[in-house]
């Protein structure tokens, strides 16, 4: 039984709740057929270096380990990650500096960083092309918008 107490890990004045990260990682490691993650900020330390190196969670690394296990065993396993804002930008939504930073670090964590999740998977499993890798992991965005027509 858990006491429900949150134990902060502090480094460079950044604190994160270890119990939340541990819960994510445990769920990832024990997932059997699929994993659906919906997160407002999918930012992990995979691929983040330089000014964003303060990110300490291991969620992308846990995903990498679980996906690598599935690929090696040729398991039927799929990860779907849903974020509210597309990580490659959506017009004037990126005029907000805070949102722009979040989108940047999402993209670095997922695909654009030198050690990003998708780059690490591609390097570890070179026999899989991008199309085959997409059988195991997909990223989606909830935000789709348009102007409603003005009715008379």
């Amino acid at each position: 039984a858990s006491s429900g107490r949150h134990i902060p890990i502090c480094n460079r004045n950044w604190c994160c709740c270890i119990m939340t990260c541990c819960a994510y990682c445990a769920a990832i490691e024990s997932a059997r057929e699929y994993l659906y993650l919906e997160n407002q900020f999918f930012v992990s330390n995979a691929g983040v270096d330089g000014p964003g190196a303060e990110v300490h969670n291991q969620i992308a690394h846990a995903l990498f380990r679980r996906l690598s296990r599935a690929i090696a065993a040729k398991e039927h396993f799929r990860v779907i990650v849903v974020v509210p804002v597309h990580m490659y930008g959506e017009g004037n939504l990126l005029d907000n500096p805070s949102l722009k930073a979040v989108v940047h670090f999402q993209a670095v964590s997922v695909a654009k960083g030198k050690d990003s999740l998708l780059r690490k998977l591609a390097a570890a499993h070179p026999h899989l092309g991008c199309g085959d890798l997409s059988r195991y992991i997909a990223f989606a965005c909830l935000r789709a918008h348009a102007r409603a027509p003005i009715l008379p």
Side-chain angles (χ1 to χ4, degrees):
S2 170
S3 67
R5 201 178 74 183
H6 294 275
I7 304 167
I9 293 179
C10 296
N11 189 346
R12 297 187 209 165
N13 297 323
W14 287 87
C15 295
C16 71
C17 176
I18 192 171
M19 290 183 75
T20 302
C21 288
C22 286
Y24 264 94
C25 291
I28 291 165
E29 291 292 335
S30 65
R32 292 187 186 157
E33 293 182 22
Y34 72 93
L35 183 64
Y36 175 89
L37 294 173
E38 188 173 319
N39 197 309
Q40 186 173 357
F41 306 108
F42 185 85
V43 176
S44 189
N45 63 349
V48 178
D49 54 10
E54 295 86 10
V55 178
H56 296 288
N57 78 60
Q58 297 289 309
I59 294 169
H61 293 294
L63 286 170
F64 171 78
R65 286 189 304 271
R66 181 60 186 96
L67 285 162
S68 289
R69 201 169 77 222
I71 292 167
K74 296 183 174 146
E75 294 175 345
H76 177 75
F77 184 76
R78 177 86 181 211
V79 175
I80 300 166
V81 180
V82 179
V83 293
V85 177
H86 194 283
M87 66 187 93
Y88 294 108
E90 289 187 1
N92 65 357
L93 288 175
L94 295 183
D95 291 343
N96 178 321
S98 297
L99 181 58
K100 190 172 185 174
V102 168
V103 168
H104 166 75
F105 287 115
Q106 282 180 167
V108 168
S109 296
V110 172
K112 289 188 174 184
K114 65 181 176 104
D115 293 318
S116 66
L117 175 59
L118 294 180
R119 285 183 191 227
K120 283 179 65 175
L121 284 167
H125 307 283
H127 61 284
L128 293 178
C130 288
D132 288 336
L133 192 55
S134 68
R135 288 190 335 226
Y136 291 96
I137 186 165
F139 287 84
C141 165
L142 286 178
R143 185 156 184 104
H145 65 283
R147 296 194 185 271
I150 298 176
L151 301 175

